[in-house]
Amino acid sequence: MTTEGEKATVAAAAGPAPKTAKRAMVGRLSWGLADQAASSMSNFAVGIYVARSLGPAAFGAFSLAWVTYGVVLNVSRGLATDPLVVRFSGVPEAAWRPAVARSAGTALGVGTIIGAACLLVGLALGGSVGAAFAVLGVVLPGLLLQDAWRFAFFAAGTGQKAFVNDLVWGVALVPALVVAAHVGSVVAFVLAWGASAAVAAGYGCLQSGIRPHLSGARGWLREQRDLGYRYLVENVSLSGASQLRAYGLGAIVGVSAVGTVRGAELLLGPFLAVLMGLSLVTVTEAARVLRRAPHRLGTFCLLLGGGQAVGAVLWGGALLLVPDRLGGLVLGGVWHTASQLIVPVTLSVAGAGLGTGAAAGLRALGAARRSLRCQLFASACYVSGGLGGAAAGGTVGSAWGVAAATVGSSTVWWLELRSALRAHHQDPIREVRTP
């Protein structure tokens, strides 16, 4: 006969009740969405302000700096925060705190080193593009540190702190944008965006009670090298492909074409906020599903990816109904050309959303080799489709080329996830680290 004490022990070993676990998951996902909404509102406000204030050419220069920031951000995430999320989600605070200190120090170091390089390149280039790159180099450390705090909080299951941090960024951004609008230059807007992020980065130190350990960066990189360097290549291939496409589009069609593509992406901004908000917590949630119910991981990833794809299509359909007068109020002179890209950009986002479901599963499984292969293939298709389309059909052709590449590469992600799940079920007791 089982005693009450034995029943309690069995219940504790089984983990939280299904309803309680589901409520906790919904809560964490909700904070991810709320946080990304706050972050995307800041980014959306900057994009709209620049597009309306400076016109297509200057907005193109700003967009080149923006996509460069995206590359550097993914370098930081691959080396610093992605390994943190995979290995230190839901761990005791005694293990989480020193890991966060070294991870944040790594992010700060990446921002300092690459920021110095951007500053030198910007000074050498000159002109509006060079000025934007030079200022980007100055603000990069603060931008990367702010992002590191967000992932650290989600790894700890305290997404509300990430949300508050992004709110602080948004509040600091308002007066900075007002000043930038009076100055009326690309430099002013880049500085306003980066300086307000630095305020939030400083507040993150107060929230966590942790100071970034630059001296611990080398040890962090050494300990996480089995995942970090593969995630680095994977992340950089993703953002690097976007940057190559932007540079190539600017060379083939013109800098204003880069602004047009960015304008179309801004139209998808609210939905992209949902997609990126989920991405903050999908890997941690997939890791939790893997630990508690491995057989449900495939279903979780399918619901995640399929839901995002359907949502993108619905949002894009709604955009097609927006009258030109209203679109002009939002994007100004950029609207006329950007509105022609709504359908292909929507399909691109839908394909990316479908693929992120499989990507979350591969990350949770620690299948760094598989995810790296998928991302390299997807990036090659993205660049080829974007530049080949630009050569054949200008800005619109580039958008359709990217759409075809994104939808096609999502299939590869799912094939790799299926193989990884099959391998995991055959050998469930394995080390998370990959050789």
Side-chain angles (χ1 to χ4, degrees):
M1 184 175 180
T2 305
T3 66
E4 292 298 321
E6 290 171 333
K7 290 179 181 178
T9 302
V10 171
K19 289 184 178 180
T20 302
K22 288 181 179 179
R23 282 197 297 268
M25 178 187 294
V26 170
R28 290 188 293 267
L29 290 173
S30 298
W31 279 118
L33 291 173
D35 171 71
Q36 189 57 47
S39 176
S40 293
M41 282 178 64
S42 300
N43 293 337
F44 186 75
V46 172
I48 293 299
Y49 239 73
V50 178
R52 289 184 58 83
S53 301
L54 302 179
F59 187 48
F62 179 85
S63 297
L64 289 175
W66 186 283
V67 297
T68 302
Y69 157 71
V71 175
V72 181
L73 180 65
N74 279 295
V75 171
S76 175
R77 287 179 176 178
L79 294 176
T81 54
D82 283 347
L84 177 77
V85 167
V86 171
R87 290 191 170 135
F88 294 91
S89 291
V91 301
E93 187 176 1
W96 176 81
R97 292 182 67 86
V100 169
R102 292 185 296 158
S103 173
T106 302
L108 188 59
V110 169
T112 301
I113 294 171
I114 301 183
C118 284
L119 176 61
L120 294 175
V121 170
L123 293 175
L125 285 175
S128 61
V129 173
F133 270 78
V135 177
L136 176 65
V138 173
V139 299
L140 266 178
L143 284 165
L144 299 190
L145 181 58
Q146 192 275 337
D147 186 73
W149 292 131
R150 297 171 69 205
F151 281 84
F153 292 140
F154 278 110
T158 55
Q160 64 272 23
K161 290 186 178 181
F163 172 70
V164 171
N165 191 275
D166 272 318
L167 280 183
V168 169
W169 185 2
V171 170
L173 183 62
V174 173
L177 284 179
V178 172
V179 174
H182 282 293
V183 176
S185 69
V186 175
V187 168
F189 280 107
V190 175
L191 186 59
W193 167 54
S196 54
V199 172
Y203 182 65
C205 296
L206 297 177
Q207 284 179 291
S208 63
I210 299 172
R211 299 295 180 268
H213 290 175
L214 274 170
S215 59
R218 180 175 297 179
W220 175 263
L221 293 174
R222 183 174 59 252
E223 293 170 14
Q224 310 301 328
R225 64 182 179 275
D226 60 318
L227 292 182
Y229 292 121
R230 287 174 181 166
Y231 288 157
L232 168 65
V233 176
E234 182 179 332
N235 290 355
V236 170
S237 68
L238 171 63
S239 54
S242 177
Q243 189 175 25
L244 286 175
R245 186 253 184 136
Y247 289 163
L249 184 61
I252 296 170
V253 184
V255 175
S256 60
V258 181
T260 296
V261 171
R262 176 61 185 155
E265 292 171 349
L266 283 173
L267 294 174
L268 273 292
F271 177 78
L272 288 173
V274 174
L275 192 153
M276 289 186 288
L278 289 173
S279 71
L280 289 169
V281 290
T282 50
V283 176
T284 58
E285 292 307 319
R288 288 185 173 96
V289 171
L290 180 63
R291 293 189 189 104
R292 295 171 181 169
H295 61 285
R296 294 179 180 173
L297 180 60
T299 302
F300 172 81
C301 294
L302 182 61
L303 291 174
L304 175 67
Q308 291 178 108
V310 171
V313 172
L314 292 176
W315 183 264
L319 286 176
L320 292 174
L321 303 177
V322 174
D324 289 339
R325 184 177 180 181
L326 179 58
L329 290 175
V330 176
L331 287 180
V334 179
W335 163 258
H336 177 68
T337 52
S339 61
Q340 300 175 29
L341 307 183
I342 289 176
V343 173
V345 170
T346 297
L347 291 177
S348 297
V349 174
L354 185 62
T356 56
L362 289 175
R363 290 254 171 135
L365 289 165
R369 285 184 176 179
R370 292 181 184 275
S371 62
L372 177 58
R373 282 199 299 267
C374 290
Q375 190 55 66
L376 290 176
F377 175 80
S379 297
C381 290
Y382 182 93
V383 174
S384 300
L387 297 186
T395 308
V396 176
S398 178
W400 277 108
V402 166
T406 306
V407 173
S409 60
S410 67
T411 304
V412 177
W413 281 102
W414 281 98
L415 290 174
E416 285 288 354
L417 177 61
R418 186 178 67 174
S419 298
L421 287 171
R422 187 183 299 116
H424 179 79
H425 293 325
Q426 291 173 354
D427 186 18
I429 304 176
R430 65 186 181 89
E431 189 72 34
V432 173
R433 294 178 181 268
T434 54

